[in-house]
Short mmCIF file of all heavy atoms in Angstrom, two decimals:
data_model
loop_
_atom_site.label_atom_id
_atom_site.label_comp_id
_atom_site.label_asym_id
_atom_site.label_seq_id
_atom_site.Cartn_x
_atom_site.Cartn_y
_atom_site.Cartn_z
N LEU Q 26 3.66 5.01 -8.64
CA LEU Q 26 5.07 5.01 -8.37
C LEU Q 26 5.74 3.67 -8.64
O LEU Q 26 5.13 2.80 -7.96
CB LEU Q 26 5.32 5.46 -7.04
CG LEU Q 26 6.70 5.58 -6.37
CD1 LEU Q 26 7.51 6.64 -7.09
CD2 LEU Q 26 6.58 5.90 -4.89
N TYR Q 27 6.83 3.62 -9.30
CA TYR Q 27 7.49 2.31 -9.38
C TYR Q 27 8.67 2.38 -8.39
O TYR Q 27 9.24 3.31 -8.35
CB TYR Q 27 8.07 2.13 -10.76
CG TYR Q 27 7.06 1.83 -11.87
CD1 TYR Q 27 6.53 2.93 -12.65
CD2 TYR Q 27 6.48 0.51 -12.02
CE1 TYR Q 27 5.55 2.53 -13.58
CE2 TYR Q 27 5.52 0.21 -13.05
CZ TYR Q 27 5.09 1.19 -13.80
OH TYR Q 27 4.07 1.02 -14.67
N CYS Q 28 8.68 1.39 -7.63
CA CYS Q 28 9.74 1.29 -6.56
C CYS Q 28 10.63 -0.08 -6.90
O CYS Q 28 10.01 -1.03 -6.90
CB CYS Q 28 9.23 1.19 -5.25
SG CYS Q 28 9.29 2.76 -4.35
N TYR Q 29 11.76 0.12 -6.78
CA TYR Q 29 12.89 -1.01 -7.08
C TYR Q 29 13.63 -1.21 -5.76
O TYR Q 29 14.16 -0.24 -5.19
CB TYR Q 29 13.60 -0.92 -8.28
CG TYR Q 29 12.87 -0.75 -9.49
CD1 TYR Q 29 12.72 0.45 -10.05
CD2 TYR Q 29 12.24 -1.88 -10.06
CE1 TYR Q 29 11.94 0.62 -11.20
CE2 TYR Q 29 11.61 -1.85 -11.25
CZ TYR Q 29 11.36 -0.46 -11.83
OH TYR Q 29 10.67 -0.28 -12.90
N SER Q 30 13.81 -2.34 -5.24
CA SER Q 30 14.61 -2.67 -4.19
C SER Q 30 16.07 -3.08 -4.75
O SER Q 30 16.25 -4.19 -5.24
CB SER Q 30 14.09 -3.80 -3.34
OG SER Q 30 15.17 -4.18 -2.38
N TYR Q 31 17.13 -2.14 -4.56
CA TYR Q 31 18.42 -2.53 -5.10
C TYR Q 31 18.94 -3.66 -4.35
O TYR Q 31 19.58 -4.64 -4.88
CB TYR Q 31 19.25 -1.27 -5.01
CG TYR Q 31 20.65 -1.61 -5.44
CD1 TYR Q 31 20.88 -1.85 -6.84
CD2 TYR Q 31 21.68 -1.93 -4.61
CE1 TYR Q 31 22.30 -2.24 -7.28
CE2 TYR Q 31 22.96 -2.18 -5.07
CZ TYR Q 31 23.17 -2.38 -6.44
OH TYR Q 31 24.54 -2.72 -6.89
N LYS Q 32 18.60 -3.71 -3.06
CA LYS Q 32 19.16 -4.77 -2.11
C LYS Q 32 18.59 -6.12 -2.70
O LYS Q 32 19.29 -7.06 -2.75
CB LYS Q 32 18.64 -4.53 -0.79
CG LYS Q 32 18.87 -5.54 0.23
CD LYS Q 32 18.48 -5.38 1.65
CE LYS Q 32 18.48 -6.45 2.61
NZ LYS Q 32 18.04 -6.15 3.96
N LYS Q 33 17.25 -6.27 -2.96
CA LYS Q 33 16.64 -7.57 -3.38
C LYS Q 33 17.20 -7.94 -4.81
O LYS Q 33 17.42 -9.06 -5.25
CB LYS Q 33 15.19 -7.33 -3.36
CG LYS Q 33 14.43 -8.59 -3.74
CD LYS Q 33 14.86 -9.69 -2.56
CE LYS Q 33 14.00 -10.93 -2.62
NZ LYS Q 33 14.45 -11.93 -1.73
N LEU Q 34 17.30 -6.80 -5.68
CA LEU Q 34 17.97 -7.01 -7.10
C LEU Q 34 19.20 -7.69 -6.98
O LEU Q 34 19.42 -8.70 -7.64
CB LEU Q 34 17.80 -5.67 -7.81
CG LEU Q 34 18.43 -5.71 -9.27
CD1 LEU Q 34 17.58 -6.49 -10.09
CD2 LEU Q 34 18.72 -4.33 -9.64
N ARG Q 35 20.07 -7.15 -6.18
CA ARG Q 35 21.46 -7.60 -6.11
C ARG Q 35 21.36 -8.94 -5.45
O ARG Q 35 22.06 -9.81 -5.99
CB ARG Q 35 22.23 -6.55 -5.11
CG ARG Q 35 23.69 -7.02 -5.04
CD ARG Q 35 24.45 -6.11 -4.17
NE ARG Q 35 23.98 -6.27 -2.75
CZ ARG Q 35 23.48 -5.35 -2.06
NH1 ARG Q 35 23.37 -4.10 -2.49
NH2 ARG Q 35 23.16 -5.51 -0.89
N GLU Q 36 20.59 -9.21 -4.46
CA GLU Q 36 20.43 -10.58 -4.02
C GLU Q 36 20.00 -11.55 -4.88
O GLU Q 36 20.49 -12.65 -5.01
CB GLU Q 36 19.53 -10.47 -2.65
CG GLU Q 36 19.40 -11.75 -1.90
CD GLU Q 36 18.24 -11.50 -0.88
OE1 GLU Q 36 18.40 -10.68 0.03
OE2 GLU Q 36 17.19 -12.31 -0.86
N ASN Q 37 19.03 -11.30 -5.58
CA ASN Q 37 18.55 -12.15 -6.66
C ASN Q 37 19.52 -12.54 -7.70
O ASN Q 37 19.69 -13.65 -8.15
CB ASN Q 37 17.20 -11.63 -7.27
CG ASN Q 37 16.04 -11.68 -6.26
OD1 ASN Q 37 16.12 -12.43 -5.45
ND2 ASN Q 37 15.03 -10.99 -6.67
N ILE Q 38 20.16 -11.49 -8.17
CA ILE Q 38 21.11 -11.70 -9.22
C ILE Q 38 22.40 -12.47 -8.68
O ILE Q 38 22.79 -13.48 -9.30
CB ILE Q 38 21.76 -10.33 -9.87
CG1 ILE Q 38 20.64 -9.63 -10.71
CG2 ILE Q 38 23.00 -10.48 -10.60
CD1 ILE Q 38 20.94 -8.21 -11.12
N GLU Q 39 22.85 -12.26 -7.50
CA GLU Q 39 23.91 -13.12 -6.89
C GLU Q 39 23.48 -14.39 -6.72
O GLU Q 39 24.29 -15.45 -7.06
CB GLU Q 39 24.40 -12.46 -5.54
CG GLU Q 39 25.09 -11.13 -5.67
CD GLU Q 39 26.26 -11.17 -6.72
OE1 GLU Q 39 27.04 -12.11 -6.70
OE2 GLU Q 39 26.40 -10.13 -7.55
N ASN Q 40 22.26 -14.85 -6.27
CA ASN Q 40 21.81 -16.10 -6.12
C ASN Q 40 21.73 -16.79 -7.40
O ASN Q 40 22.21 -17.92 -7.62
CB ASN Q 40 20.44 -16.13 -5.54
CG ASN Q 40 20.44 -15.83 -4.04
OD1 ASN Q 40 21.53 -15.97 -3.34
ND2 ASN Q 40 19.31 -15.35 -3.50
N PHE Q 41 21.29 -16.06 -8.49
CA PHE Q 41 21.21 -16.72 -9.85
C PHE Q 41 22.63 -17.05 -10.29
O PHE Q 41 22.80 -18.05 -10.89
CB PHE Q 41 20.50 -15.68 -10.72
CG PHE Q 41 20.13 -16.35 -12.09
CD1 PHE Q 41 18.87 -16.99 -12.12
CD2 PHE Q 41 20.92 -16.27 -13.19
CE1 PHE Q 41 18.47 -17.71 -13.44
CE2 PHE Q 41 20.44 -16.76 -14.43
CZ PHE Q 41 19.30 -17.44 -14.45
N LYS Q 42 23.45 -16.15 -10.03
CA LYS Q 42 24.88 -16.26 -10.70
C LYS Q 42 25.55 -17.46 -9.97
O LYS Q 42 26.27 -18.28 -10.48
CB LYS Q 42 25.67 -15.10 -10.46
CG LYS Q 42 25.37 -13.91 -11.57
CD LYS Q 42 25.86 -12.52 -11.12
CE LYS Q 42 27.27 -12.43 -11.34
NZ LYS Q 42 27.90 -11.11 -11.24
N ASN Q 43 25.30 -17.51 -8.65
CA ASN Q 43 26.01 -18.74 -7.83
C ASN Q 43 25.39 -19.95 -8.26
O ASN Q 43 26.11 -20.91 -8.23
CB ASN Q 43 25.70 -18.40 -6.42
CG ASN Q 43 26.55 -17.35 -5.79
OD1 ASN Q 43 27.61 -17.00 -6.32
ND2 ASN Q 43 26.19 -16.62 -4.71
N TYR Q 44 24.06 -20.05 -8.50
CA TYR Q 44 23.47 -21.21 -8.89
C TYR Q 44 24.07 -21.86 -10.22
O TYR Q 44 24.20 -23.13 -10.45
CB TYR Q 44 21.99 -21.13 -9.14
CG TYR Q 44 21.15 -22.37 -9.35
CD1 TYR Q 44 20.90 -23.17 -8.27
CD2 TYR Q 44 20.93 -22.70 -10.61
CE1 TYR Q 44 20.24 -24.36 -8.39
CE2 TYR Q 44 20.09 -23.95 -10.85
CZ TYR Q 44 19.78 -24.72 -9.71
OH TYR Q 44 19.22 -25.96 -9.94
N PHE Q 45 24.45 -21.01 -11.21
CA PHE Q 45 25.06 -21.33 -12.41
C PHE Q 45 26.51 -21.20 -12.65
O PHE Q 45 27.03 -21.30 -13.67
CB PHE Q 45 24.27 -20.67 -13.56
CG PHE Q 45 22.88 -21.02 -13.76
CD1 PHE Q 45 21.95 -20.19 -13.14
CD2 PHE Q 45 22.50 -22.18 -14.41
CE1 PHE Q 45 20.53 -20.71 -13.49
CE2 PHE Q 45 21.27 -22.59 -14.58
CZ PHE Q 45 20.13 -21.82 -14.06
N LYS Q 46 27.31 -20.95 -11.46
CA LYS Q 46 28.57 -20.61 -11.63
C LYS Q 46 29.47 -21.70 -12.17
O LYS Q 46 30.50 -21.48 -12.80
CB LYS Q 46 29.27 -20.19 -10.17
CG LYS Q 46 29.33 -21.21 -9.19
CD LYS Q 46 29.80 -20.57 -7.87
CE LYS Q 46 29.66 -21.63 -6.78
NZ LYS Q 46 30.01 -21.06 -5.52
N LYS Q 47 29.03 -22.94 -11.98
CA LYS Q 47 29.85 -24.12 -12.62
C LYS Q 47 29.78 -23.98 -14.10
O LYS Q 47 30.95 -24.48 -14.73
CB LYS Q 47 29.25 -25.49 -12.24
CG LYS Q 47 29.46 -25.77 -10.73
CD LYS Q 47 28.94 -27.08 -10.51
CE LYS Q 47 29.12 -27.46 -9.07
NZ LYS Q 47 28.56 -28.80 -8.54
N ILE Q 48 28.92 -23.54 -14.80
CA ILE Q 48 28.86 -23.40 -16.38
C ILE Q 48 29.20 -21.91 -16.78
O ILE Q 48 29.52 -21.84 -17.92
CB ILE Q 48 27.53 -23.91 -16.90
CG1 ILE Q 48 26.46 -23.09 -16.44
CG2 ILE Q 48 27.42 -25.36 -16.62
CD1 ILE Q 48 25.06 -23.47 -17.08
N ASN Q 49 29.34 -21.07 -15.84
CA ASN Q 49 29.77 -19.75 -16.14
C ASN Q 49 29.05 -19.20 -17.35
O ASN Q 49 29.79 -18.71 -18.28
CB ASN Q 49 31.24 -19.62 -16.25
CG ASN Q 49 31.75 -18.16 -16.22
OD1 ASN Q 49 31.20 -17.36 -15.63
ND2 ASN Q 49 32.87 -17.94 -16.94
N PRO Q 50 27.63 -19.11 -17.40
CA PRO Q 50 27.05 -18.54 -18.58
C PRO Q 50 26.96 -17.05 -18.70
O PRO Q 50 27.31 -16.26 -17.60
CB PRO Q 50 25.65 -18.98 -18.32
CG PRO Q 50 25.44 -18.96 -16.82
CD PRO Q 50 26.82 -19.40 -16.40
N LEU Q 51 26.78 -16.44 -19.96
CA LEU Q 51 26.56 -15.08 -19.95
C LEU Q 51 25.04 -14.77 -19.63
O LEU Q 51 24.14 -15.27 -20.28
CB LEU Q 51 26.72 -14.53 -21.41
CG LEU Q 51 26.32 -13.08 -21.79
CD1 LEU Q 51 27.22 -12.13 -20.84
CD2 LEU Q 51 26.57 -12.89 -23.22
N ILE Q 52 24.81 -14.00 -18.58
CA ILE Q 52 23.57 -13.87 -18.06
C ILE Q 52 22.96 -12.55 -18.63
O ILE Q 52 23.66 -11.51 -18.40
CB ILE Q 52 23.30 -13.89 -16.55
CG1 ILE Q 52 23.80 -15.33 -15.97
CG2 ILE Q 52 21.81 -13.78 -16.14
CD1 ILE Q 52 24.14 -15.44 -14.64
N CYS Q 53 21.86 -12.50 -19.32
CA CYS Q 53 21.40 -11.19 -19.88
C CYS Q 53 19.91 -10.95 -19.44
O CYS Q 53 19.18 -11.81 -19.26
CB CYS Q 53 21.43 -11.25 -21.42
SG CYS Q 53 22.96 -11.42 -22.05
N PHE Q 54 19.70 -9.71 -19.24
CA PHE Q 54 18.34 -9.20 -18.83
C PHE Q 54 17.54 -8.72 -20.10
O PHE Q 54 18.19 -8.12 -21.02
CB PHE Q 54 18.46 -8.02 -17.87
CG PHE Q 54 17.10 -7.52 -17.40
CD1 PHE Q 54 16.44 -8.18 -16.51
CD2 PHE Q 54 16.63 -6.28 -18.01
CE1 PHE Q 54 15.34 -7.68 -16.07
CE2 PHE Q 54 15.48 -5.80 -17.59
CZ PHE Q 54 14.73 -6.38 -16.59
N ALA Q 55 16.31 -9.15 -20.26
CA ALA Q 55 15.46 -8.86 -21.46
C ALA Q 55 15.10 -7.38 -21.26
O ALA Q 55 14.25 -7.02 -20.44
CB ALA Q 55 14.30 -9.69 -21.58
N VAL Q 56 15.61 -6.45 -22.12
CA VAL Q 56 15.30 -5.01 -22.01
C VAL Q 56 13.79 -4.80 -22.23
O VAL Q 56 13.19 -3.93 -21.63
CB VAL Q 56 16.08 -4.19 -22.87
CG1 VAL Q 56 15.76 -2.80 -22.99
CG2 VAL Q 56 17.56 -4.34 -22.66
#
Side-chain angles (χ1 to χ4, degrees):
L26 172 69
Y27 289 96
C28 257
Y29 302 97
S30 169
Y31 180 74
K32 179 182 173 185
K33 190 64 176 172
L34 176 71
R35 186 180 67 243
E36 180 183 305
N37 288 344
I38 288 172
E39 292 304 320
N40 286 338
F41 193 86
K42 287 167 71 174
N43 285 334
Y44 186 80
F45 290 101
K46 68 182 171 185
K47 288 183 180 180
I48 59 174
N49 194 29
L51 171 61
I52 302 168
C53 295
F54 180 79
V56 176

